[in-house]
Amino acid sequence: MTEQANEPKGDLCIRTLAMPADTNANGDIFGGWLLSQMDVGGGVFASKVAKSRTVTVAIDAMNFRKAVYVGDLVSVYATLVRVGRTSMTVHLEAWALRRREVQPILVTDGNFTYVSIDDEGKPQTIQRTEPLVAT
């Protein structure tokens, strides 16, 4: 396992509060809920980059590092990894700020691949006006 980062990297895409309705049978926040928040945030970021609708086609290298609890403020950050002709890979990090804490912790990260689509839902070329800069 890689060393945990000290602070979020990338663009803030979504911030939400973990609620009791989002828990699993153990009372922890359900991993599927967290994954969906990451996908929503990543979709926002991917659509901004592609300047079009995008759809999720793959999720790779997911790391569930720490549990998320009811009352945690969850923030998802996105960093562009690569842009292809119709698709892009986005690295997403989910950070949780626990009650009475001042420093967020990395709880989940992974790489999501999105495809740019047209109005008929068919893949389309991503129009890039600026060069891709690795971060």
Side-chain angles (χ1 to χ4, degrees), residues 10-81:
D11 293 354
L12 176 63
C13 299
I14 191 171
R15 181 171 281 157
T16 189
L17 191 63
M19 300 295 285
D22 307 318
T23 60
N24 61 22
N26 298 319
D28 298 327
I29 296 301
F30 180 57
W33 176 85
L34 184 56
L35 183 76
S36 72
Q37 298 306 309
M38 293 176 74
D39 194 27
V40 168
V44 168
F45 180 82
S47 290
K48 183 174 126 183
V49 170
K51 299 175 185 64
S52 69
R53 291 175 53 199
T54 59
V55 293
T56 310
V57 295
I59 300 172
D60 298 312
M62 282 297 297
N63 299 300
F64 289 92
R65 299 173 183 276
K66 304 276 185 187
V68 175
Y69 303 109
V70 171
D72 285 355
L73 183 62
V74 177
S75 302
V76 176
Y77 295 84
T79 305
L80 189 60
V81 175

Side-chain angles (χ1 to χ4, degrees), residues 86-100:
T86 62
S87 68
M88 72 184 75
T89 301
V90 177
H91 182 75
L92 296 169
E93 298 180 352
W95 290 74
L97 182 60
R98 306 212 194 278
R99 285 180 271 183
R100 294 184 290 280

